[in-house]
């Protein structure tokens, strides 16, 4: 077995390292909080970035001739991507639907069943992508809208909403440009985009400019969005 490493694979490996390191940092940031909750942003984004690293690792294995690309591998990758997409859903239902907290698990479970069924039962990779991408796009747009509101209103000062919005916009553009870049042999730009998205989002969540000690009403996501929406 000959392992092949080209520039695109090198860029992918760099993205994996960046995603994994920043994920561990966000987990650490979450653990240092006074009252860490399972719905806290650092934990949710940490899970997203760690799963992103695993997904990219699986992606480069065929490129390095370690394993053969197959529909089974693609199905497995699709299942892994649940960990990238679904933390966004948790954040959105927590922020926008606080009054329906008892139904959050049902909403998340229903989408998980749909995602899993598509990943396991769809006939080919094109159909899987066609049925999964709208979900990812909807969740991404939801995050952009949510943090645009907190950015505009000055709420949720604990994070840098503007940087998070920009990171998701970069991510949305990257998803749209993924296939054209691959066709032009510029996959490396796609991996560079992922690294930039990860760094911007982490910087926004860590928010080194924030002075700790703000009131709870300014830092609670539910309060911030409820105030704007109300």
């Amino acid at each position: 077995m000959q392992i092949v490493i080209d520039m695109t694979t090198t860029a992918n490996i760099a993205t994996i390292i960046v995603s994994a390191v920043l994920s561990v940092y966000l987990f650490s940031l979450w653990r240092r909080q006074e009252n860490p909750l399972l719905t806290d942003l650092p934990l949710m984004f940490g899970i997203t970035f760690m799963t992103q690293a695993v997904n990219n690792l699986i992606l480069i294995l065929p490129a390095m001739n370690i394993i053969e690309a197959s529909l089974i591998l693609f199905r497995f990758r699709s299942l892994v991507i649940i960990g990238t997409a679904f933390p966004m859903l948790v954040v959105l239902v927590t922020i926008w639907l606080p009054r329906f907290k008892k139904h959050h698990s049902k909403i998340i479970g229903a989408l998980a069943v749909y995602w899993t069924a598509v990943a396991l039962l769809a006939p080919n990779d094109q159909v899987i992508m066609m049925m999964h991408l709208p979900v990812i796009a909807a969740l991404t747009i939801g995050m952009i809208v949510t943090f645009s509101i907190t950015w505009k209103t000055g709420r949720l000062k604990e994070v840098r909403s503007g940087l998070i919005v920009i990171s998701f916009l970069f991510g949305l553009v990257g998803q749209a440009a993924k296939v054209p870049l691959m066709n032009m042999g510029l996959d490396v730009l796609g991996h560079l985009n992922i690294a930039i998205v990860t760094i911007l989002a982490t910087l926004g969540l860590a928010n080194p400019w924030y002075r700790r000690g703000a009131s709870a009403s300014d830092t609670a996501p539910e309060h911030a969005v409820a105030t704007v929406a109300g």
Side-chain angles (χ1 to χ4, degrees):
M1 179 181 65
Q2 182 180 5
I3 297 177
V4 178
I5 300 180
D6 55 18
M7 186 168 64
T8 298
T9 302
T10 302
N12 205 338
I13 292 173
T15 301
I16 292 169
I17 295 172
V18 169
S19 298
V21 169
L22 294 182
S23 174
V24 171
Y25 169 71
L26 288 175
F27 288 145
S28 174
L29 192 65
W30 173 69
R31 289 293 299 170
R32 293 201 304 268
Q33 292 182 169
E34 189 173 336
N35 296 301
L37 302 174
L38 293 178
T39 55
D40 285 341
L41 293 176
L43 176 61
M44 292 296 98
F45 277 80
I47 293 172
T48 292
F49 295 155
M50 183 58 72
T51 311
Q52 176 179 281
V54 174
N55 175 52
N56 283 333
L57 177 61
I58 297 171
L59 184 65
I60 66 171
L61 294 180
M64 297 176 66
N65 292 329
I66 295 177
I67 60 176
E68 184 178 353
S70 66
L71 181 57
I72 293 177
L73 183 64
F74 191 88
R75 293 188 192 279
F76 179 67
R77 275 191 59 223
S78 298
L79 292 175
V80 169
I81 293 173
I82 289 179
T84 302
F86 278 72
M88 290 189 284
L89 178 60
V90 172
V91 170
L92 291 175
V93 297
T94 300
I95 291 177
W96 288 103
L97 303 174
R99 297 179 182 178
F100 302 95
K101 188 174 182 179
K102 64 180 181 180
H103 298 297
H104 288 181
S105 59
K106 297 176 184 177
I107 296 171
I108 296 169
L111 202 51
V113 169
Y114 167 80
W115 188 284
T116 303
V118 170
L120 297 179
L121 302 177
N124 53 57
D125 55 352
Q126 288 86 2
V127 174
I128 294 174
M129 286 191 294
M130 183 178 66
M131 298 182 74
H132 279 174
L133 283 178
V135 176
I136 296 176
L139 293 174
T140 302
I141 292 171
M143 295 291 278
I144 292 172
V145 170
T146 299
F147 286 99
S148 293
I149 292 173
T150 60
W151 184 12
K152 181 179 179 180
T153 59
R155 291 288 185 174
L156 201 56
K157 294 182 175 65
E158 192 174 73
V159 302
R160 200 80 170 191
S161 297
L163 287 177
I164 296 176
V165 169
I166 293 171
S167 73
F168 274 104
L169 286 172
F170 268 96
L172 200 60
V173 171
Q175 283 293 328
K178 186 174 183 179
V179 173
L181 288 175
M182 289 177 61
N183 292 338
M184 292 186 292
L186 297 174
D187 308 50
V188 64
L189 295 181
H191 298 305
L192 177 62
N193 179 71
I194 293 173
I196 292 173
V197 166
T198 306
I199 292 170
L200 286 175
T202 302
L203 191 59
L205 290 165
N207 195 1
W209 306 276
Y210 177 69
R211 289 181 297 178
R212 306 295 161 181
S215 66
S217 63
D218 283 337
T219 58
E222 298 88 346
H223 178 87
V225 177
T227 301
V228 174

